[in-house]
Amino acid sequence: MRKRLLTVFCMILFTLLVMTASDAHAAAKDNAWNMGQKEVQADGAFTYSIHPSKNGKEAWIYHIKVKKGKKSKNLSIPKTIRGKKVTRLGAPEEKDKSESCVTLFGTFLEPWHFVDGSYQSAAAAIQTLRIPD
């Protein structure tokens, strides 16, 4: 009985993996993004900045700005932005590989110097984050 349950679980997990991998082609490739093109969409307290994929079907959210004076406890990443399916989140890596990292909200982190950057950001008020499938 346990073997059968484990087999069914593995099959479901494999099916989900295949569906996810086949659904987001551009998300897996860094060179599949049109890094020179930037698009913006505002939604409530948040403004999303994206790079579209070269095929124009996918969106990479590389920055989320919280409007001044607005504090929201809930952030729900949209499934689509400007008609493009959101398949990637996060700031692009710095080319110089400096000691700090940039977050999705534009703050800097330096883990080895115990700097988390969140104390100065309106994004620190966010308590709930929902990410689409």
Side-chain angles (χ1 to χ4, degrees), residues 21-33 52-55 57-60 87-88:
S22 64
D23 196 27
H25 298 287
K29 303 175 193 168
D30 282 337
N31 65 348
W33 299 97
S53 62
K54 288 184 179 176
N55 66 11
K57 295 181 180 179
E58 297 177 45
W60 170 4
T87 57
R88 188 170 182 171

Side-chain angles (χ1 to χ4, degrees), residues 5 17 28 54 63 80 86 101 110 112:
L5 186 61
L17 177 68
K54 288 184 179 176
H63 185 257
T80 61
V86 175
C101 307
E110 291 185 68
W112 31 90

Side-chain angles (χ1 to χ4, degrees), residues 34 50 55 73 79 115 119:
N34 190 350
I50 69 163
N55 66 11
K73 293 183 179 184
K79 290 183 179 186
V115 175
Y119 65 89

Side-chain angles (χ1 to χ4, degrees), residues 43-62:
D43 185 15
F46 303 102
T47 301
Y48 303 95
S49 298
I50 69 163
H51 291 302
S53 62
K54 288 184 179 176
N55 66 11
K57 295 181 180 179
E58 297 177 45
W60 170 4
I61 299 176
Y62 67 90

